[in-house]
Amino acid sequence: MQISINFLFPLIWGLLCLFAFWTLGEIITTLLSEKEGWGIKCSVGLCAYLGMGGTALALKIATAENITIAILGICGTGTYLLWRKRKEIFNSCNSYKWVRCNKWEWAIIVLAGVLTLGAVSKVDETDISDDPIGYFALAEKITQTGSLIEPFSLRRVSTFGGHSLLEATIGAQGDVENFFLVDEGWGRIILAGLILGILKRKENTG
């Protein structure tokens, strides 16, 4: 039972974060009057989140509690946006448009989903010659102190801290063993969305 909780809770939290990225992307693309697929929206939203997170780091407020509040608040906004589009969504579901994908599109969706499940907890695969201090300790520092400000640290001078912020976002409600969700979870899902968007554009343009 404990194993199931340790697996499901980080997975749900990771999906909530992804939904928050989509929400930010939905808001931005709507303001720009652009009709884009969910992959592009997640990418745009992720960039917006990094911008917001960078500001929070500079203000020393990017703690685990504030990250959690921000993600849940954005998810609440996303839920409201979906509620406003409920008729359009229901009509789409009733017409089975959401299942009308070719075999390659379904293969991409299934593969991204399976690989994401495998990325929830796999810290044992960290390369011993890599930089676990940079991957784990810096993200923990963000969640505990809200910042990465170290004026005499070469590590701080040589990085913008974006990856550490994303790991800290997972770490806000997860653990170091869930950090692979950033690359092998969010990254693969968003990449799958971008590929599907390209395929649909080619299909629509003939």
Side-chain angles (χ1 to χ4, degrees):
M1 184 63 179
Q2 186 68 25
I3 295 178
S4 299
I5 294 176
N6 291 340
F7 178 84
L8 289 176
F9 189 79
L11 176 62
I12 293 172
W13 174 246
L15 293 176
L16 283 175
C17 293
L18 194 63
F19 179 57
F21 301 153
W22 173 87
T23 299
L24 292 174
E26 171 73 11
I27 294 172
I28 294 172
T29 54
T30 299
L31 291 175
L32 295 176
S33 300
E34 297 287 343
K35 292 185 178 180
E36 299 289 351
W38 61 267
I40 288 289
K41 291 178 180 178
C42 286
S43 300
V44 172
L46 179 59
C47 293
Y49 178 77
L50 287 174
M52 296 165 56
T55 302
L57 286 173
L59 296 175
K60 301 182 181 181
I61 58 173
T63 60
E65 293 79 8
N66 290 337
I67 289 174
T68 302
I69 292 172
I71 291 295
L72 294 180
I74 297 171
C75 287
T77 303
T79 302
Y80 172 71
L81 294 177
L82 291 178
W83 174 254
R84 290 187 59 183
K85 292 184 176 183
R86 61 189 182 281
K87 292 184 179 179
E88 178 183 340
I89 295 173
F90 289 151
N91 291 335
S92 177
C93 290
N94 290 334
S95 62
Y96 295 100
K97 291 180 180 179
W98 58 281
V99 297
R100 293 176 182 175
C101 301
N102 62 44
K103 59 183 180 180
W104 292 112
E105 291 174 326
W106 275 115
I108 292 171
I109 293 172
V110 172
L111 180 61
V114 171
L115 292 177
T116 298
L117 292 176
V120 175
S121 180
K122 53 181 300 185
V123 72
D124 58 309
E125 293 192 14
T126 302
D127 191 338
I128 192 172
S129 63
D130 211 329
D131 188 12
I133 295 178
Y135 293 148
F136 305 142
L138 298 182
E140 289 290 326
K141 181 183 174 88
I142 292 176
T143 58
Q144 294 175 19
T145 68
S147 178
L148 279 179
I149 296 178
E150 294 178 11
F152 301 105
S153 171
L154 175 62
R155 189 183 297 280
R156 298 285 57 71
V157 174
S158 62
T159 179
F160 291 112
H163 195 267
S164 295
L165 174 64
L166 295 179
E167 289 179 338
T169 302
I170 289 293
Q173 293 299 321
D175 203 348
V176 294
E177 60 186 32
N178 309 128
F179 284 175
F180 276 94
L181 272 173
V182 173
D183 300 295
E184 301 186 18
W186 297 342
R188 284 168 173 168
I189 292 176
I190 293 175
L191 179 60
L194 293 174
I195 294 174
L196 291 176
I198 293 173
L199 292 175
K200 287 187 178 298
R201 282 189 178 183
K202 286 187 176 181
E203 181 181 325
N204 294 334
T205 56

